[in-house]
Amino acid sequence: MQPQIILLKEGTEASQGRSQIISNINACQAIVDCVRTTLGPRGMDKLMVEAQGKATISNDGATIMKLLDVVHPAAKTLVDIAKSQDAEVGDGTTSVVILAGEFLKQMKPFVEEGVHSQIIIRGVRKATQLAVQFINEIAVKPKKDDEVELRQLLEKCAATAMGSKLINQQKDFFSRMVVDAVMMLDELLPLNMIGIKKVPGGALEDTLLVAGVAFKKTFSYAGFEMQPKQYTSPKIALLNIELELKAERDNAEIRLENVEEYQKVVDAEWTILYDKLEKLHLSGAKVVLSKLPIGDVATQYFADRDMFCAGRVPEEDLKRTMKACGGSILTTVADLEDSVLGTCEHFEEKQIGGDRFNIFTGCPQAKTCTIIIRGGAEQFMEETERSLHDAIMIVRRAKKNDAVVAGGGAIEMELSKHLRDISRTIAGKEQMLISAIARALEVIPRQLCDNAGFDSTNILNKLRQKHAQGNRWMGVDILNEDVADNMEKCVWEPSLVKINALSAASEATCLILSVDETIKNPKSGEGPAPQGRPGARRPF
Ligand code: ADP
Ligand code: MG
Protein backbone atom coordinates (compact mmCIF):
# COMPACT_ATOMS: atom_id res chain seq x y z
CA MET A 1 0.00 0.00 0.00
CA GLN A 2 1.27 3.46 -0.88
CA PRO A 3 1.56 5.83 2.04
CA GLN A 4 -0.39 9.03 1.55
CA ILE A 5 1.74 12.15 1.72
CA ILE A 6 -0.03 15.24 3.00
CA LEU A 7 1.77 18.51 2.39
CA LEU A 8 -0.99 21.03 2.88
CA LYS A 9 -3.18 21.82 5.81
CA GLU A 10 -6.26 19.70 6.24
CA GLY A 11 -9.24 21.22 4.48
CA THR A 12 -7.17 22.76 1.68
CA GLU A 13 -8.94 22.58 -1.65
CA ALA A 14 -6.78 22.14 -4.67
CA SER A 15 -7.91 21.73 -8.23
CA GLN A 16 -5.67 21.76 -11.22
CA GLY A 17 -5.10 21.02 -14.85
CA ARG A 18 -7.12 21.74 -17.91
CA SER A 19 -10.43 21.33 -16.15
CA GLN A 20 -9.38 24.08 -13.80
CA ILE A 21 -8.84 26.54 -16.67
CA ILE A 22 -12.20 25.59 -18.16
CA SER A 23 -13.98 26.08 -14.87
CA ASN A 24 -12.36 29.50 -14.45
CA ILE A 25 -13.49 30.46 -17.95
CA ASN A 26 -17.03 29.36 -17.13
CA ALA A 27 -17.05 31.47 -13.98
CA CYS A 28 -15.98 34.53 -15.99
CA GLN A 29 -18.71 33.85 -18.50
CA ALA A 30 -21.30 33.99 -15.74
CA ILE A 31 -20.08 37.47 -14.76
CA VAL A 32 -20.09 38.70 -18.33
CA ASP A 33 -23.67 37.52 -18.73
CA CYS A 34 -24.62 39.88 -15.90
CA VAL A 35 -23.31 43.02 -17.57
CA ARG A 36 -23.84 42.05 -21.21
CA THR A 37 -27.23 43.70 -21.51
CA THR A 38 -26.06 47.11 -20.29
CA LEU A 39 -23.85 47.83 -23.31
CA GLY A 40 -24.70 50.62 -25.67
CA PRO A 41 -27.32 53.32 -26.12
CA ARG A 42 -30.14 50.79 -25.92
CA GLY A 43 -28.61 48.91 -23.01
CA MET A 44 -30.64 48.19 -19.93
CA ASP A 45 -29.83 49.36 -16.42
CA LYS A 46 -29.26 47.23 -13.37
CA LEU A 47 -30.80 47.70 -9.99
CA MET A 48 -28.41 46.47 -7.36
CA VAL A 49 -29.40 46.04 -3.72
CA GLU A 50 -26.62 45.87 -1.19
CA ALA A 51 -26.67 44.02 2.11
CA GLN A 52 -27.82 47.11 4.01
CA GLY A 53 -30.69 47.51 1.59
CA LYS A 54 -29.24 50.49 -0.29
CA ALA A 55 -30.44 50.39 -3.88
CA THR A 56 -28.33 51.63 -6.78
CA ILE A 57 -29.49 51.93 -10.37
CA SER A 58 -26.63 52.00 -12.83
CA ASN A 59 -25.54 51.39 -16.38
CA ASP A 60 -21.87 51.84 -15.60
CA GLY A 61 -19.85 48.63 -15.92
CA ALA A 62 -17.41 49.52 -13.16
CA THR A 63 -20.14 50.40 -10.69
CA ILE A 64 -22.04 47.19 -11.38
CA MET A 65 -18.92 45.06 -11.11
CA LYS A 66 -17.96 46.71 -7.84
CA LEU A 67 -21.38 46.03 -6.35
CA LEU A 68 -21.55 42.44 -7.58
CA ASP A 69 -19.36 41.26 -4.71
CA VAL A 70 -17.74 38.48 -6.71
CA VAL A 71 -16.19 35.70 -4.65
CA HIS A 72 -14.77 33.50 -7.40
CA PRO A 73 -11.01 34.10 -7.37
CA ALA A 74 -10.51 34.04 -11.15
CA ALA A 75 -13.63 36.02 -11.96
CA LYS A 76 -12.36 38.78 -9.68
CA THR A 77 -9.86 39.61 -12.41
CA LEU A 78 -12.75 40.95 -14.48
CA VAL A 79 -13.81 43.21 -11.63
CA ASP A 80 -10.26 44.51 -11.49
CA ILE A 81 -10.02 45.34 -15.17
CA ALA A 82 -13.35 47.16 -15.05
CA LYS A 83 -12.07 49.20 -12.11
CA SER A 84 -8.77 49.95 -13.77
CA GLN A 85 -10.48 51.02 -17.00
CA ASP A 86 -12.65 53.34 -14.92
CA ALA A 87 -9.63 54.85 -13.20
CA GLU A 88 -7.50 55.03 -16.32
CA VAL A 89 -9.91 56.42 -18.91
CA GLY A 90 -13.32 56.51 -17.23
CA ASP A 91 -15.39 55.03 -20.05
CA GLY A 92 -15.54 51.67 -21.82
CA THR A 93 -15.95 49.71 -18.62
CA THR A 94 -18.71 47.46 -19.92
CA SER A 95 -16.88 46.93 -23.19
CA VAL A 96 -13.73 45.75 -21.46
CA VAL A 97 -15.56 43.09 -19.48
CA ILE A 98 -17.49 41.86 -22.50
CA LEU A 99 -14.33 41.72 -24.61
CA ALA A 100 -12.43 39.76 -21.98
CA GLY A 101 -15.34 37.33 -21.67
CA GLU A 102 -15.51 36.81 -25.41
CA PHE A 103 -11.74 36.32 -25.76
CA LEU A 104 -11.97 33.61 -23.13
CA LYS A 105 -14.96 32.02 -24.80
CA GLN A 106 -13.13 31.85 -28.12
CA MET A 107 -10.05 30.37 -26.47
CA LYS A 108 -12.00 27.69 -24.63
CA PRO A 109 -12.09 25.21 -27.57
CA PHE A 110 -8.31 25.46 -27.90
CA VAL A 111 -7.87 24.65 -24.22
CA GLU A 112 -10.26 21.74 -24.55
CA GLU A 113 -8.35 20.38 -27.50
CA GLY A 114 -5.19 20.44 -25.49
CA VAL A 115 -3.29 23.37 -27.03
CA HIS A 116 -0.79 24.50 -24.45
CA SER A 117 -1.73 27.66 -22.56
CA GLN A 118 1.53 29.35 -23.37
CA ILE A 119 0.89 29.01 -27.09
CA ILE A 120 -2.58 30.46 -26.70
CA ILE A 121 -1.24 33.32 -24.61
CA ARG A 122 1.37 34.11 -27.22
CA GLY A 123 -1.31 34.19 -29.90
CA VAL A 124 -3.56 36.51 -27.87
CA ARG A 125 -0.68 38.87 -27.13
CA LYS A 126 0.30 39.02 -30.77
CA ALA A 127 -3.25 39.71 -31.92
CA THR A 128 -3.62 42.50 -29.34
CA GLN A 129 -0.36 44.06 -30.37
CA LEU A 130 -1.39 44.05 -34.01
CA ALA A 131 -4.78 45.52 -33.15
CA VAL A 132 -3.37 48.34 -31.02
CA GLN A 133 -0.87 49.20 -33.73
CA PHE A 134 -3.67 49.34 -36.25
CA ILE A 135 -5.84 51.62 -34.08
CA ASN A 136 -2.95 54.05 -33.83
CA GLU A 137 -2.55 53.94 -37.60
CA ILE A 138 -6.14 54.66 -38.54
CA ALA A 139 -7.23 56.98 -35.69
CA VAL A 140 -8.33 60.37 -36.99
CA LYS A 141 -6.72 63.47 -35.53
CA PRO A 142 -8.76 66.64 -36.02
CA LYS A 143 -6.74 69.85 -35.98
CA LYS A 144 -6.07 70.95 -32.44
CA ASP A 145 -5.29 74.64 -32.88
CA ASP A 146 -8.74 75.33 -34.25
CA GLU A 147 -10.76 76.26 -31.15
CA VAL A 148 -14.15 75.69 -32.76
CA GLU A 149 -13.25 72.35 -34.18
CA LEU A 150 -11.70 71.18 -30.92
CA ARG A 151 -14.84 72.14 -29.05
CA GLN A 152 -17.01 70.26 -31.51
CA LEU A 153 -14.82 67.20 -31.15
CA LEU A 154 -15.04 67.31 -27.37
CA GLU A 155 -18.79 67.78 -27.37
CA LYS A 156 -19.26 64.81 -29.68
CA CYS A 157 -17.11 62.55 -27.54
CA ALA A 158 -19.05 63.61 -24.45
CA ALA A 159 -22.37 63.00 -26.22
CA THR A 160 -21.29 59.50 -27.24
CA ALA A 161 -20.24 58.68 -23.69
CA MET A 162 -23.61 59.84 -22.37
CA GLY A 163 -25.67 58.37 -25.20
CA SER A 164 -25.84 55.04 -23.40
CA LYS A 165 -26.93 56.43 -20.05
CA LEU A 166 -30.19 57.31 -18.35
CA ILE A 167 -29.68 60.97 -19.27
CA ASN A 168 -29.36 60.38 -23.01
CA GLN A 169 -32.40 62.58 -23.70
CA GLN A 170 -30.51 65.58 -22.34
CA LYS A 171 -27.14 64.67 -23.75
CA ASP A 172 -26.78 67.84 -25.83
CA PHE A 173 -27.43 70.01 -22.81
CA PHE A 174 -25.02 68.05 -20.65
CA SER A 175 -22.28 67.64 -23.23
CA ARG A 176 -22.10 71.43 -23.59
CA MET A 177 -21.98 71.78 -19.82
CA VAL A 178 -19.30 69.12 -19.38
CA VAL A 179 -17.10 70.68 -22.05
CA ASP A 180 -17.58 74.12 -20.46
CA ALA A 181 -16.61 72.65 -17.11
CA VAL A 182 -13.43 71.02 -18.43
CA MET A 183 -12.53 74.16 -20.39
CA MET A 184 -12.63 76.13 -17.12
CA LEU A 185 -9.81 74.06 -15.64
CA ASP A 186 -6.16 74.86 -16.10
CA GLU A 187 -3.52 72.94 -18.04
CA LEU A 188 -3.32 69.85 -15.85
CA LEU A 189 -7.12 69.36 -15.84
CA PRO A 190 -7.31 68.13 -12.24
CA LEU A 191 -10.49 66.12 -11.74
CA ASN A 192 -10.98 67.19 -8.14
CA MET A 193 -11.37 70.81 -9.18
CA ILE A 194 -14.77 69.98 -10.66
CA GLY A 195 -17.16 69.65 -7.75
CA ILE A 196 -20.47 67.87 -8.26
CA LYS A 197 -23.34 68.64 -5.88
CA LYS A 198 -26.85 67.24 -5.89
CA VAL A 199 -29.97 69.16 -4.90
CA PRO A 200 -33.26 67.23 -5.01
CA GLY A 201 -36.14 68.90 -6.79
CA GLY A 202 -36.48 70.74 -10.07
CA ALA A 203 -35.96 69.36 -13.54
CA LEU A 204 -32.80 67.86 -14.93
CA GLU A 205 -32.45 70.89 -17.20
CA ASP A 206 -32.22 73.13 -14.15
CA THR A 207 -28.80 71.67 -13.50
CA LEU A 208 -26.35 74.52 -13.44
CA LEU A 209 -22.68 75.11 -13.80
CA VAL A 210 -21.04 77.56 -11.41
CA ALA A 211 -17.71 79.03 -12.42
CA GLY A 212 -16.19 78.70 -8.99
CA VAL A 213 -16.67 76.92 -5.69
CA ALA A 214 -20.16 76.24 -4.39
CA PHE A 215 -21.27 74.24 -1.41
CA LYS A 216 -24.30 73.73 0.71
CA LYS A 217 -24.79 75.62 3.92
CA THR A 218 -25.35 72.93 6.50
CA PHE A 219 -26.40 74.75 9.63
CA SER A 220 -27.51 78.23 10.55
CA TYR A 221 -27.94 79.87 13.90
CA ALA A 222 -30.11 82.78 14.94
CA GLY A 223 -28.56 85.99 13.75
CA PHE A 224 -27.74 84.52 10.38
CA GLU A 225 -30.70 86.29 8.73
CA MET A 226 -29.12 89.59 9.60
CA GLN A 227 -25.85 88.76 7.90
CA PRO A 228 -25.21 90.23 4.48
CA LYS A 229 -25.41 87.64 1.71
CA GLN A 230 -23.23 89.26 -0.93
CA TYR A 231 -19.75 90.72 -1.12
CA THR A 232 -17.41 91.87 -3.80
CA SER A 233 -13.74 90.98 -3.29
CA PRO A 234 -14.10 89.92 0.34
CA LYS A 235 -11.23 88.56 2.40
CA ILE A 236 -11.95 84.99 3.36
CA ALA A 237 -10.79 83.31 6.56
CA LEU A 238 -10.68 79.50 6.45
CA LEU A 239 -10.62 78.00 9.91
CA ASN A 240 -10.37 74.74 11.70
CA ILE A 241 -11.50 76.35 14.96
CA GLU A 242 -14.64 75.94 16.97
CA LEU A 243 -16.29 79.29 17.66
CA GLU A 244 -18.71 78.21 20.32
CA LEU A 245 -19.07 78.30 24.09
CA LYS A 246 -18.45 74.77 25.09
CA ALA A 247 -17.35 74.48 28.69
CA GLU A 248 -20.49 72.59 29.67
CA ARG A 249 -19.43 69.76 27.46
CA ASP A 250 -15.92 69.37 28.82
CA ASN A 251 -15.57 66.62 31.28
CA ALA A 252 -13.37 68.35 33.84
CA GLU A 253 -14.00 68.62 37.51
CA ILE A 254 -13.51 72.02 39.14
CA ARG A 255 -14.12 72.70 42.81
CA LEU A 256 -15.50 76.14 43.47
CA GLU A 257 -16.06 77.77 46.82
CA ASN A 258 -18.41 80.59 45.91
CA VAL A 259 -20.46 82.18 43.19
CA GLU A 260 -17.82 84.81 42.28
CA GLU A 261 -15.32 82.14 41.34
CA TYR A 262 -17.90 80.49 39.14
CA GLN A 263 -18.59 83.81 37.48
CA LYS A 264 -14.86 84.17 36.77
CA VAL A 265 -14.81 80.82 34.97
CA VAL A 266 -17.75 81.81 32.83
CA ASP A 267 -16.24 85.20 32.10
CA ALA A 268 -12.92 83.67 31.16
CA GLU A 269 -14.62 81.55 28.58
CA TRP A 270 -16.44 84.48 27.06
CA THR A 271 -13.22 86.42 26.99
CA ILE A 272 -11.45 83.66 25.08
CA LEU A 273 -14.25 83.47 22.53
CA TYR A 274 -14.55 87.26 22.15
CA ASP A 275 -10.82 87.51 21.80
CA LYS A 276 -10.89 85.13 18.83
CA LEU A 277 -13.87 86.91 17.27
CA GLU A 278 -12.25 90.29 17.66
CA LYS A 279 -9.05 89.12 15.99
CA LEU A 280 -11.08 87.81 13.08
CA HIS A 281 -12.96 91.10 12.83
CA LEU A 282 -9.80 93.19 12.98
CA SER A 283 -8.11 91.12 10.27
CA GLY A 284 -10.61 92.55 7.83
CA ALA A 285 -12.04 89.16 6.83
CA LYS A 286 -15.59 89.43 5.53
CA VAL A 287 -16.34 85.76 5.11
CA VAL A 288 -15.47 83.27 7.84
CA LEU A 289 -15.68 79.55 7.07
CA SER A 290 -14.93 76.83 9.55
CA LYS A 291 -14.79 73.07 9.44
CA LEU A 292 -16.03 73.06 13.04
CA PRO A 293 -19.27 74.56 14.38
CA ILE A 294 -19.74 78.29 14.67
CA GLY A 295 -22.20 78.94 17.48
CA ASP A 296 -24.97 81.50 17.95
CA VAL A 297 -22.88 84.00 19.91
CA ALA A 298 -20.31 84.12 17.13
CA THR A 299 -22.98 84.29 14.42
CA GLN A 300 -24.59 87.27 16.12
CA TYR A 301 -21.21 88.93 16.67
CA PHE A 302 -20.37 88.66 12.96
CA ALA A 303 -23.84 89.81 11.93
CA ASP A 304 -23.42 92.98 13.99
CA ARG A 305 -20.16 93.74 12.21
CA ASP A 306 -21.21 93.18 8.60
CA MET A 307 -19.51 89.80 8.29
CA PHE A 308 -20.69 86.45 7.01
CA CYS A 309 -19.94 83.08 8.57
CA ALA A 310 -20.62 79.40 7.92
CA GLY A 311 -19.69 76.51 10.19
CA ARG A 312 -19.46 72.77 9.62
CA VAL A 313 -18.16 73.16 6.08
CA PRO A 314 -17.15 69.71 4.74
CA GLU A 315 -13.40 69.28 4.57
CA GLU A 316 -13.18 68.70 0.81
CA ASP A 317 -15.14 71.89 0.14
CA LEU A 318 -12.94 73.87 2.48
CA LYS A 319 -9.84 72.50 0.75
CA ARG A 320 -11.24 73.33 -2.67
CA THR A 321 -12.04 76.87 -1.51
CA MET A 322 -8.49 77.15 -0.24
CA LYS A 323 -7.02 75.96 -3.55
CA ALA A 324 -9.24 78.31 -5.51
CA CYS A 325 -9.21 81.42 -3.33
CA GLY A 326 -5.79 81.12 -1.75
CA GLY A 327 -4.96 81.48 1.93
CA SER A 328 -4.59 78.59 4.33
CA ILE A 329 -6.73 76.64 6.74
CA LEU A 330 -5.92 78.05 10.16
CA THR A 331 -5.96 76.31 13.50
CA THR A 332 -5.25 79.48 15.45
CA VAL A 333 -6.22 83.11 15.04
CA ALA A 334 -2.94 84.32 16.52
CA ASP A 335 -1.53 86.01 13.44
CA LEU A 336 -4.12 86.71 10.82
CA GLU A 337 -2.19 88.35 8.03
CA ASP A 338 -3.40 88.98 4.54
CA SER A 339 -1.17 86.18 3.25
CA VAL A 340 -3.21 83.55 5.08
CA LEU A 341 -6.57 84.96 4.02
CA GLY A 342 -8.12 84.03 0.70
CA THR A 343 -10.11 86.21 -1.62
CA CYS A 344 -12.39 86.01 -4.64
CA GLU A 345 -14.15 88.44 -6.96
CA HIS A 346 -17.65 87.74 -5.81
CA PHE A 347 -19.29 85.90 -2.95
CA GLU A 348 -22.95 85.18 -2.65
CA GLU A 349 -25.31 83.02 -0.66
CA LYS A 350 -28.14 81.86 -2.82
CA GLN A 351 -31.22 79.70 -2.52
CA ILE A 352 -31.15 76.70 -4.88
CA GLY A 353 -34.11 74.38 -4.50
CA GLY A 354 -34.55 73.69 -0.81
CA ASP A 355 -30.96 74.44 0.07
CA ARG A 356 -28.87 77.52 0.57
CA PHE A 357 -25.60 77.55 -1.32
CA ASN A 358 -22.45 79.54 -0.67
CA ILE A 359 -21.01 80.49 -4.02
CA PHE A 360 -17.54 81.89 -4.66
CA THR A 361 -16.78 83.06 -8.19
CA GLY A 362 -13.81 84.67 -9.87
CA CYS A 363 -11.25 82.78 -7.83
CA PRO A 364 -7.71 84.06 -8.41
CA GLN A 365 -5.58 81.02 -7.52
CA ALA A 366 -6.89 78.00 -9.34
CA LYS A 367 -9.50 77.44 -11.94
CA THR A 368 -12.38 75.44 -10.62
CA CYS A 369 -16.07 74.93 -11.19
CA THR A 370 -19.02 73.19 -9.63
CA ILE A 371 -21.91 71.38 -11.26
CA ILE A 372 -25.12 71.45 -9.25
CA ILE A 373 -27.32 68.58 -10.38
CA ARG A 374 -31.09 68.97 -10.02
CA GLY A 375 -33.57 66.18 -10.42
CA GLY A 376 -36.14 63.92 -8.86
CA ALA A 377 -35.16 60.66 -7.19
CA GLU A 378 -31.91 60.32 -5.29
CA GLN A 379 -30.85 57.27 -7.33
CA PHE A 380 -31.51 59.15 -10.53
CA MET A 381 -29.22 61.97 -9.47
CA GLU A 382 -26.56 59.51 -8.40
CA GLU A 383 -26.64 57.86 -11.81
CA THR A 384 -26.51 61.31 -13.41
CA GLU A 385 -23.41 62.08 -11.39
CA ARG A 386 -21.76 58.84 -12.54
CA SER A 387 -22.65 59.54 -16.16
CA LEU A 388 -21.27 63.07 -15.92
CA HIS A 389 -18.13 61.62 -14.40
CA ASP A 390 -17.73 59.31 -17.43
CA ALA A 391 -18.24 62.22 -19.79
CA ILE A 392 -15.84 64.49 -17.90
CA MET A 393 -13.15 61.82 -17.96
CA ILE A 394 -13.65 61.34 -21.69
CA VAL A 395 -13.44 65.06 -22.41
CA ARG A 396 -10.28 65.35 -20.32
CA ARG A 397 -8.78 62.42 -22.18
CA ALA A 398 -9.82 63.73 -25.56
CA LYS A 399 -8.42 67.16 -24.76
CA LYS A 400 -5.05 65.76 -23.82
CA ASN A 401 -4.92 63.18 -26.55
CA ASP A 402 -7.16 64.06 -29.40
CA ALA A 403 -7.18 61.03 -31.72
CA VAL A 404 -10.64 59.53 -32.21
CA VAL A 405 -12.16 56.46 -33.83
CA ALA A 406 -15.78 55.71 -34.73
CA GLY A 407 -17.83 53.84 -32.13
CA GLY A 408 -20.92 51.70 -32.44
CA GLY A 409 -18.89 48.65 -33.34
CA ALA A 410 -17.18 50.29 -36.33
CA ILE A 411 -13.66 50.14 -34.98
CA GLU A 412 -14.16 46.59 -33.72
CA MET A 413 -15.35 45.40 -37.15
CA GLU A 414 -12.40 47.09 -38.83
CA LEU A 415 -9.95 45.50 -36.40
CA SER A 416 -11.62 42.16 -36.92
CA LYS A 417 -11.17 42.43 -40.67
CA HIS A 418 -7.57 43.57 -40.29
CA LEU A 419 -6.68 40.66 -38.00
CA ARG A 420 -8.40 38.15 -40.27
CA ASP A 421 -6.42 39.46 -43.23
CA ILE A 422 -3.16 39.17 -41.33
CA SER A 423 -3.93 35.72 -40.00
CA ARG A 424 -4.14 34.40 -43.56
CA THR A 425 -0.46 35.22 -44.01
CA ILE A 426 0.61 33.27 -40.94
CA ALA A 427 1.03 29.53 -40.84
CA GLY A 428 0.32 27.17 -37.98
CA LYS A 429 -1.64 27.39 -34.78
CA GLU A 430 -1.15 31.13 -34.56
CA GLN A 431 -3.38 31.57 -37.60
CA MET A 432 -6.26 29.91 -35.80
CA LEU A 433 -5.67 31.91 -32.65
CA ILE A 434 -5.53 35.27 -34.37
CA SER A 435 -8.63 34.60 -36.39
CA ALA A 436 -10.38 33.51 -33.20
CA ILE A 437 -9.57 36.91 -31.67
CA ALA A 438 -10.84 38.52 -34.87
CA ARG A 439 -14.12 36.68 -34.35
CA ALA A 440 -14.22 37.68 -30.68
CA LEU A 441 -14.05 41.38 -31.56
CA GLU A 442 -17.37 41.12 -33.34
CA VAL A 443 -19.04 40.68 -29.97
CA ILE A 444 -19.33 44.45 -29.48
CA PRO A 445 -21.49 45.20 -32.56
CA ARG A 446 -23.41 41.97 -31.99
CA GLN A 447 -24.22 42.90 -28.43
CA LEU A 448 -25.19 46.44 -29.45
CA CYS A 449 -27.69 44.91 -31.89
CA ASP A 450 -28.98 42.34 -29.44
CA ASN A 451 -29.55 44.99 -26.79
CA ALA A 452 -31.48 47.12 -29.24
CA GLY A 453 -33.60 44.19 -30.35
CA PHE A 454 -32.14 44.09 -33.88
CA ASP A 455 -31.45 41.04 -36.01
CA SER A 456 -27.76 40.80 -35.19
CA THR A 457 -26.87 38.14 -37.78
CA ASN A 458 -28.28 40.27 -40.56
CA ILE A 459 -26.55 43.45 -39.46
CA LEU A 460 -23.25 41.74 -38.86
CA ASN A 461 -23.34 40.27 -42.36
CA LYS A 462 -23.92 43.73 -43.78
CA LEU A 463 -21.09 45.13 -41.69
CA ARG A 464 -18.67 42.40 -42.78
CA GLN A 465 -19.52 43.09 -46.38
CA LYS A 466 -19.11 46.87 -46.04
CA HIS A 467 -15.79 46.54 -44.28
CA ALA A 468 -14.54 44.10 -46.90
CA GLN A 469 -15.36 46.77 -49.49
CA GLY A 470 -13.19 49.23 -47.58
CA ASN A 471 -15.82 51.26 -45.76
CA ARG A 472 -13.72 51.71 -42.70
CA TRP A 473 -16.11 53.42 -40.31
CA MET A 474 -19.30 51.46 -40.93
CA GLY A 475 -20.98 50.59 -37.65
CA VAL A 476 -24.36 49.86 -36.15
CA ASP A 477 -26.95 52.58 -36.69
CA ILE A 478 -28.94 52.45 -33.49
CA LEU A 479 -31.69 54.78 -34.67
CA ASN A 480 -32.62 53.07 -37.95
CA GLU A 481 -31.81 49.38 -37.38
CA ASP A 482 -29.21 49.53 -40.11
CA VAL A 483 -25.54 50.16 -40.73
CA ALA A 484 -24.13 53.65 -41.13
CA ASP A 485 -20.87 55.55 -41.34
CA ASN A 486 -20.43 56.34 -37.67
CA MET A 487 -17.62 58.81 -38.31
CA GLU A 488 -20.10 60.95 -40.24
CA LYS A 489 -22.83 60.29 -37.70
CA CYS A 490 -20.50 61.66 -35.02
CA VAL A 491 -20.46 58.58 -32.83
CA TRP A 492 -16.88 59.19 -31.82
CA GLU A 493 -14.74 57.72 -29.13
CA PRO A 494 -11.20 58.62 -28.11
CA SER A 495 -8.87 55.96 -29.50
CA LEU A 496 -7.34 55.69 -26.06
CA VAL A 497 -10.55 54.17 -24.67
CA LYS A 498 -10.41 51.40 -27.24
CA ILE A 499 -6.68 50.78 -26.88
CA ASN A 500 -6.95 50.57 -23.14
CA ALA A 501 -9.98 48.28 -23.29
CA LEU A 502 -8.26 45.92 -25.71
CA SER A 503 -5.04 45.69 -23.75
CA ALA A 504 -6.81 45.23 -20.43
CA ALA A 505 -9.10 42.53 -21.84
CA SER A 506 -6.17 40.68 -23.35
CA GLU A 507 -4.15 40.92 -20.13
CA ALA A 508 -7.05 39.47 -18.16
CA THR A 509 -7.45 36.66 -20.70
CA CYS A 510 -3.78 35.76 -20.50
CA LEU A 511 -3.86 35.88 -16.73
CA ILE A 512 -6.79 33.52 -16.49
CA LEU A 513 -5.33 31.15 -19.07
CA SER A 514 -2.04 30.97 -17.23
CA VAL A 515 -3.59 29.82 -13.97
CA ASP A 516 -3.71 26.04 -13.93
CA GLU A 517 -4.07 25.42 -10.25
CA THR A 518 -6.09 26.96 -7.46
CA ILE A 519 -5.19 26.18 -3.90
CA LYS A 520 -7.55 27.41 -1.30
CA ASN A 521 -6.46 27.43 2.30
CA PRO A 522 -9.11 26.87 4.90
CA LYS A 523 -9.66 29.94 7.04
CA SER A 524 -7.92 29.42 10.34
CA GLY A 525 -10.27 27.88 12.85
CA GLU A 526 -13.01 26.96 10.44
CA GLY A 527 -11.66 24.03 8.45
CA PRO A 528 -14.02 21.07 8.18
CA ALA A 529 -14.30 19.22 11.44
CA PRO A 530 -12.16 16.10 11.36
CA GLN A 531 -15.11 13.77 11.00
CA GLY A 532 -14.88 10.05 11.19
CA ARG A 533 -11.28 9.92 12.27
CA PRO A 534 -11.12 7.62 15.22
CA GLY A 535 -9.53 9.23 18.20
CA ALA A 536 -9.68 12.77 16.77
CA ARG A 537 -10.81 15.24 19.35
CA ARG A 538 -13.82 17.36 18.50
CA PRO A 539 -13.32 21.07 19.02
CA PHE A 540 -15.59 21.15 22.05
P1 ADP B 1 -19.10 51.33 -21.73
O1 ADP B 1 -19.21 51.21 -20.25
O2 ADP B 1 -18.25 50.25 -22.31
O3 ADP B 1 -18.75 52.68 -22.20
P2 ADP B 1 -21.68 51.86 -22.82
O4 ADP B 1 -22.95 51.33 -22.27
O5 ADP B 1 -21.36 53.31 -22.58
O6 ADP B 1 -20.54 50.95 -22.26
O7 ADP B 1 -21.68 51.57 -24.38
C1 ADP B 1 -20.63 51.96 -25.19
C2 ADP B 1 -20.82 51.41 -26.58
O8 ADP B 1 -21.95 51.99 -27.21
C3 ADP B 1 -19.61 51.77 -27.41
O9 ADP B 1 -19.20 50.65 -28.19
C4 ADP B 1 -20.12 52.89 -28.28
O10 ADP B 1 -19.44 52.93 -29.51
C5 ADP B 1 -21.57 52.52 -28.47
N1 ADP B 1 -22.40 53.68 -28.80
C6 ADP B 1 -22.55 54.81 -28.06
N2 ADP B 1 -23.39 55.68 -28.68
C7 ADP B 1 -23.78 55.09 -29.83
C8 ADP B 1 -24.65 55.46 -30.91
N3 ADP B 1 -25.27 56.63 -30.93
N4 ADP B 1 -24.81 54.60 -31.93
C9 ADP B 1 -24.18 53.41 -31.93
N5 ADP B 1 -23.37 53.00 -30.94
C10 ADP B 1 -23.14 53.81 -29.90
MG1 MG C 1 -19.83 54.48 -21.97
Side-chain angles (χ1 to χ4, degrees), residues 38-41 59 91-95 160 164 407-408 448 476 478 491 493:
T38 64
L39 183 80
N59 175 283
D91 194 20
T93 47
T94 317
S95 313
T160 309
S164 51
L448 285 173
V476 183
I478 287 291
V491 183
E493 291 194 79

Side-chain angles (χ1 to χ4, degrees), residues 468-488:
Q469 289 165 357
N471 296 311
R472 181 162 278 175
W473 300 123
M474 287 309 242
V476 183
D477 182 354
I478 287 291
L479 300 176
N480 305 317
E481 183 165 2
D482 200 2
V483 298
D485 189 325
N486 276 347
M487 199 48 105
E488 268 169 30

